[in-house]
């Protein structure tokens, strides 16, 4: 231990009372598997906050995380993170970055610094030691603002040729076809659907997106209430004991669970988890409440938020650390009732996508590998994003079988009598989240802005007075405004979410762009000539198609046009999905078709190893990233999306697309979100 | 340090690898200020969970909490919790309790135990040392179930004479008049409104209570949308930097903030708070979004849950660690618009209480001491619980003035031009929580069970076939059932939340009790004689009043009866509040009137010190409790509840009820929740 000894010679005796505590932290950046990471050592005042995004920024390294023991061993020949002191830096043989807090540097040279319980050192001696290392330190102002994490990244990522030529600054400046992620982010923020938030991976749902969610809630809530589901609310907190009760289940969630360990200034005796989903939150109480088969079925649902602290790249609506959803949890006496309900709910989910969001989906069953951990089988609705050619899971309805009921002793006496075996309840759980909004935006919107399907849009039609010129007299102007307002009023009375923009400070053209950006389905223009002819000009957001509507038919025509718009959006999206869902029977055609932005229907053996092989074999192998990266999507392997209910006919003796086994059905594979 | 040295002699050399880690924790129970606490020392395997409720149970001490440094100094002559080792136990001169984990005891005698980084000891030596102390250790099985924290406490607390004589086990067994807290708990759990939850201070809202919340939401949501408020959703997480931005404000919440410090197995770099309310979550974004006075007003609301980790005794609905609420946050260009809205919202809140929940409230302004921290003024609706004579805050609507807008730079250019000073927005925030349900239950329900006002009740009328005897033929039985079902159907079509109970396994009497317990507002009985007479017997839940209703008038009479029921509930509660809201001009009458379960209207000077003096002077001083205790409610001092809008006339020269200053208005004081 000569190194440590030589370091200790630099040290002085000291005490907590008259020294300044200093921390030394070691980070590992995200690094390609084939490459050697460059560790980052941070030496800073205990009181200085050293956020990882800031470290990333000043070192130009990706996603630094606190290093684990293995890195300490490899780089610094130090047994563990716990045993590490700055002395070990002398052991390093390969490059590391060393960041020194400039507040520490600005201390008086004679200040005594406390490095750990027993190590004290003068500031001058510490800096001398650090400056003498093989790799030179960098001074860092940790109080500087971190540049917003995601926004600028996207902006940088946008190839310059993705800029839209005729884009005004106020509108969308990125081309959907050329820089899809940059476009997606712009469309959401400029369309005022959502804003980025101070805590990474969390987003603000602004009124236009929350209203979509409310419309979905209304539709879905009334349907589940019709089949006897009741709403309830369970707490967001779970004790670790309860969370961990179902092993398979918790394994799927454990890495993403957020833990509360402190309240005010008191440490909690036991950390408490924030629910990532509520199976284990609810079922102990189901077991308590269900005392007899007469208490079955029990069908509860809640509208709530859950937290999954994903470490992957967050994506608005699609992958967020907190998200809104509904989760239904039902328990039945018989398997048949339960499995019937699973499919009934799946139909409702398909309805949310197809009837409300104008998004086509494929219904099917998840493979063993992709099913809900702890459940019996998972049904799903799967969507498709044409720009990326990736599949996206829409919503899932799980049959849990008796797995949880046995774990939580959710059982009742057999209705046939006490001499028959008791029956464990058959359970389902099913969930639909705000992710649906992201899917909807990705599919319909365009380079002018959002396109929001009319049945969910907060505002369905905007009335805009036009044809007002300098020559227009005040009386004429008033007449136009009054007539426009009358249209707005009549539409509202007819139950259409209409509004008017009568602000004279803006030109009609400016207003058109505004409401195109925001995705209002219909624009209703009314000018002097229209009034003469007792008509209005109605323009569809999605394709600028114009309708001349007689004012006498307003209340009947506008709903029709809204419905046509919905159907056209749906049909267009369906055509894209249908033409990019191709049947591939031979492996040689698999990856080429994947690369053509298709999802693939292939005969498959149903074996998990083969599924993993397909994923591996269809991935680009040279990406070298430790983690899956969204912007490297084409490198991704194909996952199984679902085994569609609607199956192409399987030929006699058809083999699996990948292996030598016999195919048991067609499975839909694709790169996915 | 001879003590430590002598302890160290018992120690051996060891290493982490081959020893079993042991923790020693010191707790301080809740103790009267005048008494000496008895610390509890727990020696347990590191892996053993030692929940505080269990420690309370085995020691019969109240609310043990991890002790602070001062206790270590006083009792063990040890500088700090950090410096503590078991050696210091020898220093104790007054009593302490020593609990030893029986799993530790069951280890092999030769096992090496690790006490801290450097202290290792054989198990036999440790036990020898512990057994040699002045106060004898107690062996504890920490794996035992903790008896439910609140339930048994209440049951024990219930004086035996509070038991209802004619109570069946299935119904309420505690008398509202004699053991109000015990009754409240029973009524909620047996009425299936709510269940107690695994995490203390959190409760499950079961369908009957959640449905009440949904009905309130529907009513309130449509009203705020009518005045231009839009719904949105902001994340539940707040960074400490943002949370702490408004000093006065955060001080009010800091002790109750829950902190997430870990995700999966990774420590977060910075702890993240769960919102206790969203002012500081939202306003940075308001400042970003509001770029011009044309962007004002901005009126957003969210329906969400917030977390306040209260350490006081939790109470279902009234004081819970997580609760559901709505929080509205609005920003205006002018003060007038803002203050008008504050009162408009307060009227809606009064409407929720009076028009939906049949609960009378007094509208008023909070005193400086009781207003929302960081705001300009707070308006409130205050209710009254007759059984305890305590006031209860119903909901609050705050005018924040420009305090937050200056803090967050929420400003716009003056509409008069750039040469005029910029204007900071005038802001409001307002919230109504699920607490309303608790108030409603306390006021209307009785010894037969819940009484739920009809406008919010999940189910408004139950149809029950009666008069079926052994002599009834199957045809007659079918006719009765069919007629009853027909009534149910007709009521549903008329928009009444009706249902029927046609189960032949239970007697009508049993069903009557069931639905009385659950608070269904109306029972509709239908027997053979009723069918003959083309009528039904309608019985009100609240007072068993009977109506004979002709089946021809069903659709018109039932809504009338529901409205009458609502009005009668309201009037009864109003009379109780009115008769217990007394004017007291002289201090000598203050406490006696308080003790008669009154809230008090007194002339008051408006000075905070005087308000504190009133509270102090009206409290029983000999309670000796460190914390306020709910079951000691009569000992509580009177707080100011509000300065009612509706003021008794102040006499010329009237002095403050408590001090020598001149009164400025009447203030409502009372013991409160």
């Amino acid at each position: 231990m000569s190194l440590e000894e030589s370091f200790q010679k630099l040290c002085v005796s000291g005490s907590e009372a008259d020294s300044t505590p200093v921390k030394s932290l070691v980070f590992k950046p995200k690094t390609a598997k084939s490459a050697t990471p460059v560790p980052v050592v941070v030496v800073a005042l205990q009181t200085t906050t050293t956020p990882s995004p800031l470290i990333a920024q000043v070192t130009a390294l990706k996603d630094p995380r606190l290093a684990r023991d293995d890195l300490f061993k490899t780089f610094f020949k130090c047994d563990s993170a716990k045993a590490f002191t700055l002395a070990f830096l002398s052991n390093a043989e390969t490059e590391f970055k060393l960041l020194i807090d400039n507040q520490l540097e600005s201390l008086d040279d004679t200040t005594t610094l406390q490095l750990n319980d027993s190590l004290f050192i003068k500031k001058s001696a510490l800096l001398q030691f650090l400056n003498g290392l093989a790799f030179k330190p960098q001074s860092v102002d940790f109080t500087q603002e971190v540049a917003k994490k995601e926004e600028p990244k996207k902006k940088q990522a946008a190839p310059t040729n993705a800029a839209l030529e005729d884009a005004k600054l106020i509108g969308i400046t990125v081309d959907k076809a050329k820089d899809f992620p940059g476009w997606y982010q712009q469309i959401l923020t400029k369309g005022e659907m959502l804003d980025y938030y101070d805590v990474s991976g969390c987003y603000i749902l602004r009124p236009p997106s929350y209203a979509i969610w409310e419309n979905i809630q209304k539709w879905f809530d009334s349907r589940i209430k019709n089949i006897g589901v009741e709403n309830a609310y369970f707490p967001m907190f779970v004790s670790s004991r309860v969370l961990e009760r179902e092993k398979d289940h918790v394994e799927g969630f454990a890495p993403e669970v957020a833990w509360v360990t402190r309240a005010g200034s008191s440490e909690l005796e036991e950390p408490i988890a924030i629910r990532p989903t509520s199976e284990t939150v609810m079922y102990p109480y189901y077991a308590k409440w269900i005392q007899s088969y007469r208490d079955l079925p029990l069908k509860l649902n809640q509208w709530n938020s859950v937290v999954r602290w994903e470490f992957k790249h967050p994506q608005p609506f699609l992958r967020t650390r907190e998200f809104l959803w509904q989760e239904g949890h039902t328990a039945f006496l018989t398997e048949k009732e339960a499995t019937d309900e699973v499919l009934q709910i799946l139909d409702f989910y398909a309805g949310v996508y197809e009837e409300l969001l104008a998004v086509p989906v494929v219904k099917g069953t998840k493979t063993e590998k992709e099913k809900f951990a702890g459940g019996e089988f998972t049904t799903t609705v799967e969507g498709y994003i044409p720009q990326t050619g990736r599949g996206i899971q829409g919503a899932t309805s799980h049959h849990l079988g008796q797995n949880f009921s046995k774990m939580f002793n959710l059982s009742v006496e057999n209705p046939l009598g006490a001499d028959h075996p008791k029956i464990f309840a058959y359970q389902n759980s099913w969930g639909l989240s705000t992710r649906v909004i992201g899917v909807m935006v990705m599919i319909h919107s365009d380079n002018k802005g959002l396109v929001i399907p009319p049945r969910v849009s907060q505002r369905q039609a905007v009335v805009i007075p036009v044809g007002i010129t300098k020559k227009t007299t005040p009386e004429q102007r008033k007449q136009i405004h009054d007539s426009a307002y009358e249209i707005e009023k009549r539409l509202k009375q007819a139950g259409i979410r209409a509004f008017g923009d009568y602000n004279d400070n803006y030109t009609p053209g400016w207003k058109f762009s505004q409401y195109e950006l925001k995705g209002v389905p219909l624009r209703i223009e009314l000018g002097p000539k229209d009034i003469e002819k007792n008509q209005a000009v109605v323009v569809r957001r999605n394709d600028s198609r114009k309708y001349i509507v007689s004012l006498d038919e307003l209340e009947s025509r506008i709903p029709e046009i809204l419905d046509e718009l919905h159907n056209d959006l749906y049909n267009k999206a369906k055509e894209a999905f249908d033409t990019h869902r191709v049947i591939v029977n031979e492996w040689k055609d698999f990856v080429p078709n994947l690369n053509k932005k298709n999802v693939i229907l292939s005969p498959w053996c149903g074996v998990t190893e083969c599924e993993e092989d397909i994923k591996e074999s269809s991935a680009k192998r040279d990406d070298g990233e430790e983690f899956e990266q969204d912007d490297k999507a084409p490198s991704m392997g194909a996952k199984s999306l679902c085994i569609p209910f609607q199956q192409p006919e399987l030929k006699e003796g058809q083999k699996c697309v990948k292996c030598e086994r016999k195919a048991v059905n067609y499975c839909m594979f694709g790169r996915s979100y």
Side-chain angles (χ1 to χ4, degrees), chain A residues 480-497:
Chain A
I480 297 171
H481 275 201
D482 287 353
S483 305
Y485 183 71
E486 178 64 20
I487 291 178
E488 179 193 339
K489 217 177 72 180
R490 283 174 54 190
L491 290 176
K492 276 183 176 162
Q493 275 165 357
I496 292 153
R497 298 188 288 274

Side-chain angles (χ1 to χ4, degrees), chain A residues 340-353:
Chain A
D340 282 354
E341 191 213 49
V342 163
L343 296 180
Q344 169 68 79
I345 296 294
L346 196 72
D347 281 344
F348 291 157
Y349 287 159
V352 168
Y353 275 99

Side-chain angles (χ1 to χ4, degrees), chain A residues 129-276:
Chain A
F129 168 76
L130 295 175
N131 282 308
L133 292 168
F135 304 97
K136 293 303 153 210
Q138 174 182 357
S139 167
V140 175
D141 172 8
F142 283 103
T143 64
Q144 69 187 271
E145 281 286 318
V146 186
K148 261 267 176 281
K149 228 174 160 176
E150 293 135 54
E151 282 188 81
K153 196 167 162 192
K154 291 297 175 202
K155 276 179 195 152
Q156 283 166 13
T160 45
N161 62 2
L164 287 170
E165 278 183 19
D166 61 346
K168 298 140 207 157
L169 262 182
I170 191 176
I172 304 303
T173 60
V174 182
D175 190 338
K176 182 178 187 182
K178 293 180 184 157
D179 175 18
F180 188 62
W183 168 87
Y184 180 62
Q185 188 222 314
Q186 267 207 2
I187 207 120
L188 293 177
T189 51
K190 292 201 171 180
E192 301 187 354
M193 292 282 272
L194 160 151
D195 210 340
Y196 284 70
Y197 185 69
D198 182 50
V199 175
S200 170
C202 295
Y203 303 89
I204 299 163
L205 301 189
R206 299 183 69 179
S209 63
Y210 195 79
I212 294 171
W213 187 237
E214 286 182 310
N215 286 321
I216 292 170
Q217 287 186 306
K218 206 183 294 169
W219 189 94
F220 185 76
D221 201 67
S222 72
R223 274 161 185 77
I224 58 173
K225 279 182 177 153
N226 269 342
I227 61 167
V229 177
E230 295 180 302
N231 285 336
Y233 188 79
F234 285 73
M236 70 154 87
F237 296 116
V238 208
S239 69
S240 55
R241 189 176 54 76
V242 171
L243 181 69
E244 286 157 11
R245 196 130 156 222
E246 212 292 344
K247 283 264 166 68
D248 284 346
H249 176 68
V250 77
E251 262 181 28
F253 292 104
E256 299 169 1
V257 170
W259 292 92
V260 175
T261 64
R262 186 147 60 85
S265 54
S266 317
E267 296 294 321
L268 299 187
E269 274 165 45
E270 266 194 301
I272 291 174
I274 304 179
R275 60 179 164 215

Side-chain angles (χ1 to χ4, degrees), chain A residues 17 225 298 332 334 355 393 467 484 578 586 612 639 665 673:
Chain A
K225 279 182 177 153
L298 178 62
F332 299 87
T334 66
E355 292 177 38
Q393 178 178 303
D578 288 349
E586 307 223 20
E612 283 162 358
K639 293 208 303 190
N665 48 34
Y673 283 88

